[in-house]
Amino acid sequence: MEQPKCRFCGSEPSHQSIKGEYVFGGKPEQRFWKCNVCQIIYLFPPPSKEEELEFYKKEFEKYMETRSGGDKDWSSPEKHFDSNQNEARRRMAFLEPYLKKGQKALEIGCSSGFMLSALRDKGIDVFGIDPSEGFIEYVRSKGIYVYKNLEELKANHDIQFDLIIHYYVLEHIRNPVDFIKQCMKLLKSESKMVFEVPCATDPLVELYHVPAFDKFYWSVAHHWYFNRESLTVVLKKVDSKFALYPEQRYDLSNHIRWMQQGKPGGLGHYHRIFGDELDRLYKQKLKEHWLCDTIIALVEI
Ligand SMILES: [Zn+2]
């Protein structure tokens, strides 16, 4: 097998080791490699640009449906919107202190638009971008401007934003530093970008070492997996202030399901036994150790 140089920092092959043996949805020769210099985890060999375009145009929602285990419903935009209301509430808890009525916000990768609707309910003027054709008409039917890419948005609006958000997007982007720099150009001065990515020190990987999860986690849709250290390396290349926060989305019931059955799903399954307090405390302990499934980044200009 060809030993790569780091796709992010260019470090020599001798500093690279295999982190994910099995790439979900990938080709037999693909692996996720980890660079021991910058700590980034990357897909190698990467897909061609043509393969990637085709994937987002035609297959993305179907692919996600195979991964959700019933926690999120990707079968239609309406169901996706409804099954993400808890997720919208979780994300809003972080965003709310920064919001003021009348601000302009852009979400990149807006999917069924559940975050844009939640922001609009707070009096925010919202815009979306999504390269996938699956849900775009549904979002437009709610009177929200959605475009396929930044170029299309810029061609239609001469606009600067108070807030740019993207959730589980950066790991899909071939050149994450360029992407963040492009986003920052669309921000007004003294404004913010908030985003989330999966955290590579997920407890199912780094704490419990669940074999079935290891065959599921490393997704062909991702170029990168970030941890606290490597996301810091990425953001230091952007000339802005930033802070990273640990976050845990999945609960103890989901982790038990993985250990019992080796399958996704199970969110909230034992909630009637565990209750809110245990759920909160469990997540808090994982976050304290950065053995958590999500990183929230706040970037300020
Ligand atoms: Zn590297």
Side-chain angles (χ1 to χ4, degrees):
M1 185 175 296
E2 188 190 349
Q3 184 101 358
K5 282 190 176 180
C6 174
R7 281 183 59 199
F8 187 77
C9 76
S11 289
E12 291 301 320
S14 58
H15 295 299
Q16 316 302 315
S17 54
I18 291 174
K19 182 70 187 172
E21 271 287 347
Y22 183 83
V23 178
F24 189 96
K27 298 176 189 166
E29 69 274 21
Q30 289 180 311
R31 300 284 183 279
F32 273 94
W33 292 77
K34 183 171 185 180
C35 173
N36 301 320
V37 177
C38 71
Q39 303 295 314
I40 213 161
I41 295 168
Y42 56 93
L43 178 61
F44 189 87
S48 72
K49 287 185 179 166
E50 292 71 34
E51 286 168 339
E52 203 168 44
L53 269 177
E54 205 51 23
F55 178 75
Y56 286 106
K57 218 172 146 190
K58 299 266 164 61
E59 298 166 28
F60 186 61
E61 284 82 9
K62 276 187 208 136
Y63 174 81
M64 290 305 288
E65 176 81 22
T66 66
R67 289 180 62 81
S68 78
D71 287 339
K72 304 281 161 59
D73 194 331
W74 286 83
S75 62
S76 76
E78 292 82 1
K79 286 180 182 165
H80 186 264
F81 187 96
D82 291 343
S83 66
N84 274 286
Q85 290 308 303
N86 282 337
E87 182 65 5
R89 276 190 286 277
R90 182 189 66 75
R91 296 177 191 180
M92 283 303 275
F94 186 89
L95 292 178
E96 209 141 13
Y98 306 115
L99 301 178
K100 280 196 200 105
K101 265 188 189 164
Q103 283 177 330
K104 288 186 169 36
L106 171 67
E107 181 176 20
I108 299 170
C110 63
S111 194
S112 63
F114 65 90
M115 277 311 290
L116 293 177
S117 286
L119 285 165
R120 192 164 64 169
D121 291 346
K122 302 279 177 194
I124 308 295
D125 200 5
V126 296
F127 295 76
I129 287 177
D130 205 291
S132 169
E133 287 170 6
F135 295 169
I136 206 164
E137 286 311 320
Y138 173 75
V139 185
R140 283 183 180 147
S141 76
K142 300 199 164 184
I144 295 174
Y145 289 114
V146 192
Y147 299 99
K148 281 192 197 137
N149 50 51
L150 281 176
E151 288 65 42
E152 234 183 77
L153 170 87
K154 285 193 265 188
N156 283 280
H157 303 270
D158 181 17
I159 195 169
Q160 296 252 289
F161 295 96
D162 302 282
L163 175 69
I164 294 180
I165 53 176
H166 48 93
Y167 295 91
Y168 314 102
V169 168
L170 196 68
E171 65 275 19
H172 297 259
I173 305 282
R174 197 177 286 267
N175 191 328
V177 173
D178 276 4
F179 172 80
I180 296 171
K181 284 183 176 169
Q182 273 196 45
C183 291
M184 302 308 277
K185 284 186 196 157
L186 289 171
L187 281 173
K188 294 176 186 171
S189 58
E190 290 181 33
S191 49
K192 292 175 176 58
M193 177 164 74
V194 173
F195 69 90
E196 293 185 2
V197 290
C199 182
T201 51
D202 189 300
L204 291 167
V205 177
E206 293 293 335
L207 182 61
Y208 305 134
H209 309 284
V210 177
F213 188 74
D214 204 56
K215 289 199 161 173
F216 168 86
Y217 184 60
W218 308 103
S219 162
V220 73
H222 297 168
H223 284 282
W224 317 100
Y225 284 83
F226 304 102
N227 60 21
R228 187 187 193 180
E229 291 72 30
S230 60
L231 193 55
T232 299
V233 172
V234 170
L235 287 172
K236 278 190 172 165
K237 291 187 181 279
V238 181
D239 189 22
S240 302
K241 266 199 319 187
F242 66 90
L244 302 181
Y245 301 91
E247 173 70 320
Q248 179 63 33
R249 283 180 290 156
Y250 286 96
D251 63 357
L252 183 54
S253 297
N254 169 268
H255 290 170
I256 289 174
R257 166 77 65 102
W258 271 109
M259 292 181 218
Q260 274 175 338
Q261 300 182 22
K263 285 184 191 157
L267 197 66
H269 190 72
Y270 299 109
H271 184 261
R272 68 194 165 84
I273 308 294
F274 297 156
D276 289 340
E277 196 186 345
L278 176 58
D279 196 44
R280 187 189 55 74
L281 200 59
Y282 178 65
K283 290 179 177 179
Q284 185 190 313
K285 289 292 159 193
L286 294 175
K287 290 192 282 187
E288 281 170 14
H289 293 271
W290 275 89
L291 287 162
C292 54
D293 57 23
T294 302
I295 307 174
I296 306 177
L298 172 66
V299 186
E300 295 182 85
I301 189 164

